[in-house]
Structure formats: structure tokens, C-alpha cells
Amino acid sequence: MRLLSENDRLPSGSTVATIGMFDGVHLGHATLVGFLNSQAASRGKQSLVITFLNHPRNLLQPDPRFSLIMSLDDRLAHLQELGPDLLLALDFSRELSQLDSSQFIELLRDRYGVDVLVAGYNHRFGHNRGETFEDYCRHGKRLGVEVIKAPEYLGQYAPVSSTIVRSLIAAGRVKDAMHCMGRPHVIRGKVVHGFHNGRGLGFPTANVGKVDPNILLPHNGAYAVLAHVKGMVLQGMANIGKRPTLDNGDQLSIEVNLFDFEDDIYGEDFTLEFISFLRLEFKMCGLDELKHQLSLDRDNAKRILKEYLTTTNNNR
């Protein structure tokens, strides 16, 4: 696969392309890119996936509460795994946002050799979002670009969209989000020093800091997780929240208790995969109740992770 830059130019009529943000790179996106690849191969052309460096919403409808499911690097990596011949990330600029669908199709034709455009199911593009698939076909016919529609994803977890996945994660329903994406939701950061309360309770924690503020965090609560650090994959449980039982103020923290692991990993890169929700965060009556609840959480998380890893390994 070749990663293109905006300055690259491709021969006329050489590509079959599709376009979208692809946030989360979920199973619907996989269906779309699979269809794209088959169409390109059958026509003797290269398949081209076009995405954006920045989310159009951040330019057109800025909202500080809006977060992405994954980083650009993760999005490009997962799109690459779907096997297109070419991958292009465009800057969604004010100028680009003002193009109507006809002008956008013309741009794709002239710059990137697109003569077949695969429209995602229910996907809209161009300045006039009121246009229909039939409008795109009409513009394409005039410009010499065939426009075809990809099939709808009809798998076990349909319907699926980035909006649905985002809502599931925000609600803490990370297991449902995982089924929609085909992989767990991930956040990345570094292990930093925290309040050091966990060790005294018998549940030492790795505190995750320097997390990208643009990436969506699951709802406050406890989760069964897999942690990637120093080349290891470790089982654990994570808590996202403000630790009300310990009265540590309003600062949000991400703490991970790693099972059967006590190595010094301060300053290390840390990746969390959220496998399943355990419980909401709530204030307990004291440290004894907190330790009892953490013991229950650990047992529950170990059971969930054992089932998950057994199923995952059996499906390979």
C-alpha cells in the first residue's frame, strides 16, 4: 500500500476511490473498503481510500465536547490493514468545505485519476448535503466518473456508524462498541505519578497521563482492560473518574491495576484496550468497603478477560 500526499497526482482513469472520515474504522467501513478493493481489482485499477487529517465537524460546527474515536495515526493504520492500494489523507480546509459535490468529483478526477467513485451507504459529501445518490450519479455522468453505491453492512451488529460507536463509548458500553468496530476501543498515554493511594489498599495502580484530549474517554467507571507496555500485554482493571471515596478533588484520573505485575513502568508508553464495563464510579462508606469492592471488581475482570482471550484465540 502507498500513502499519498495532497501534492501527488495520479494518471487519468487509474483509480477507483471512496471517501469518508472513517473515524473508528468500524465494520461498516470494512465492508465499504472491501467492496472498493473488489471493484478496483475487477477493473484493473488501483483502489484509493481518501480520508481527512481533521474532522470536518471541527471546522464547520466546532464543539469542545466533540471527541474522536481514534487518533489519525491509528485511523491510517487500521485503514491500511483493510488492504487498499492507495491511501490519501486530505486537509479538510475552508476551501475544500465550500466545494459542491460536482466540484469535488471533478477535483478527484483531475488530481487523483478517479474514474469510479464508490459512495458509502447513506454517505453524503460536498457543500450541498441535501443532494442524493442520484444527484451524484448525474454529476459523475457529466464529468465522466462512474458513481456506484457500496452495499450496506448487514452483519450481526448492524446498523453501525461512527456516531453510534461514539455514543456507545461515551455511555461506557465499550463491549458493544468493540463489536461494532471489530476491536476494542483504545486510549494511549504515559505512566505518570499519581496519589499513590492504591498501593496502601493492596491494589497498586499505574496512572495514565498525557492522553490525547481529542480522543474520547469512556464514561466514568471501572472497566476490564488489556494494557500494552514495554512489549507486554497485561490484564487489569481501570478506573476513570475522580475517586470520590478518597476525596482527591475534581481532577479526572485514569488508574489501572495490573494483575500479578509490580514492575516500575513510570514514564513508559501505555496503551489501554477497553474490553468490558464493570461498574459506575460511586462514593463508598470507607476504605474497607472500597477494598471489598475492588476485590469484587478484580474477580469479575479476571473472569471477563479469561472469556475474552479464550474466544479471541479460538477465532484466530
Side-chain angles (χ1 to χ4, degrees):
M1 192 218 73
R2 177 184 168 197
L3 183 62
L4 302 176
S5 75
E6 291 195 42
N7 296 324
D8 284 322
R9 296 294 181 267
L10 299 177
S12 177
S14 62
T15 62
V16 178
T18 192
I19 186 162
M21 186 63 196
F22 299 104
D23 191 23
V25 193
H26 53 64
L27 296 178
H29 294 143
T31 297
L32 170 59
V33 178
F35 179 76
L36 171 79
N37 292 339
S38 65
Q39 288 294 311
S42 68
R43 298 163 190 261
K45 301 178 186 296
Q46 291 187 297
S47 58
L48 167 61
V49 172
I50 302 170
T51 186
F52 298 110
L53 296 171
N54 49 318
H55 201 291
R57 179 168 171 173
N58 289 332
L59 177 70
L60 302 176
Q61 298 172 309
D63 182 348
R65 298 168 297 179
F66 178 74
S67 298
L68 296 171
I69 299 167
M70 60 175 50
S71 69
L72 174 64
D73 286 345
D74 282 348
R75 179 156 41 97
L76 294 178
H78 288 304
L79 285 172
Q80 183 175 346
E81 290 174 359
L82 297 179
D85 298 309
L86 305 166
L87 180 57
L88 169 66
L90 292 175
D91 177 25
F92 192 83
S93 62
R94 183 68 63 181
E95 178 184 12
L96 190 64
S97 74
Q98 292 172 348
L99 297 180
D100 61 28
S101 59
S102 176
Q103 293 169 320
F104 193 69
I105 293 171
E106 186 175 12
L107 180 148
L108 297 182
R109 181 197 67 185
D110 294 345
R111 289 190 185 178
Y112 305 113
V114 177
D115 77 343
V116 180
L117 180 63
V118 178
Y121 189 81
N122 283 341
H123 180 66
R124 297 287 184 268
F125 63 89
H127 181 69
N128 184 359
R129 291 304 178 98
E131 288 191 318
T132 65
F133 175 73
E134 287 69 28
D135 292 318
Y136 301 154
C137 292
R138 178 169 48 83
H139 297 321
K141 185 174 182 180
R142 179 175 56 81
L143 294 166
V145 176
E146 182 183 0
V147 180
I148 58 178
K149 183 181 289 188
E152 180 182 9
Y153 169 67
L154 296 174
Q156 182 178 357
Y157 300 101
V160 61
S161 69
S162 296
T163 300
I164 290 172
V165 173
R166 202 173 287 115
S167 298
L168 291 171
I169 294 169
R173 295 171 57 186
V174 295
K175 185 175 181 180
D176 291 329
M178 175 172 60
H179 288 319
C180 291
M181 291 191 291
R183 79 187 77 81
H185 179 55
V186 166
I187 62 169
R188 304 183 190 278
K190 285 186 178 292
V191 181
V192 299
H193 288 281
F195 292 97
H196 301 287
N197 298 133
R199 187 170 297 278
L201 294 170
F203 293 87
T205 59
N207 294 268
V208 186
K210 298 185 178 180
V211 174
D212 186 342
N214 297 310
I215 301 304
L216 181 63
L217 291 179
H219 193 283
N220 288 5
Y223 297 85
V225 298
L226 294 177
H228 298 250
V229 60
K230 295 178 69 173
M232 298 177 285
V233 182
L234 306 171
Q235 299 181 38
M237 59 182 182
N239 187 79
I240 299 175
K242 300 179 180 179
R243 310 190 309 175
T245 306
L246 297 172
D247 294 322
N248 289 134
D250 291 330
Q251 181 179 349
L252 185 74
S253 65
I254 305 170
E255 297 180 308
V256 186
N257 173 238
L258 299 170
F259 304 148
D260 306 314
F261 182 83
E262 294 190 8
D263 290 3
D264 183 357
I265 53 174
Y266 286 115
E268 296 290 342
D269 291 331
F270 200 79
T271 298
L272 273 185
E273 293 183 320
F274 289 85
I275 307 303
S276 185
F277 176 79
L278 296 175
R279 62 171 173 84
L280 290 171
E281 184 180 55
F282 61 93
K283 186 170 185 176
M284 301 175 201
C285 294
L287 295 183
D288 287 341
E289 183 182 357
L290 176 58
K291 286 190 284 187
H292 177 68
Q293 182 61 56
L294 290 174
S295 295
L296 295 177
D297 293 341
R298 179 176 56 194
D299 291 344
N300 195 18
K302 285 185 174 182
R303 176 186 58 79
I304 289 169
L305 292 170
K306 181 179 180 180
E307 292 175 358
Y308 171 75
L309 291 171
T310 299
T311 301
T312 301
N313 290 333
N314 288 342
N315 289 338
R316 286 178 179 172

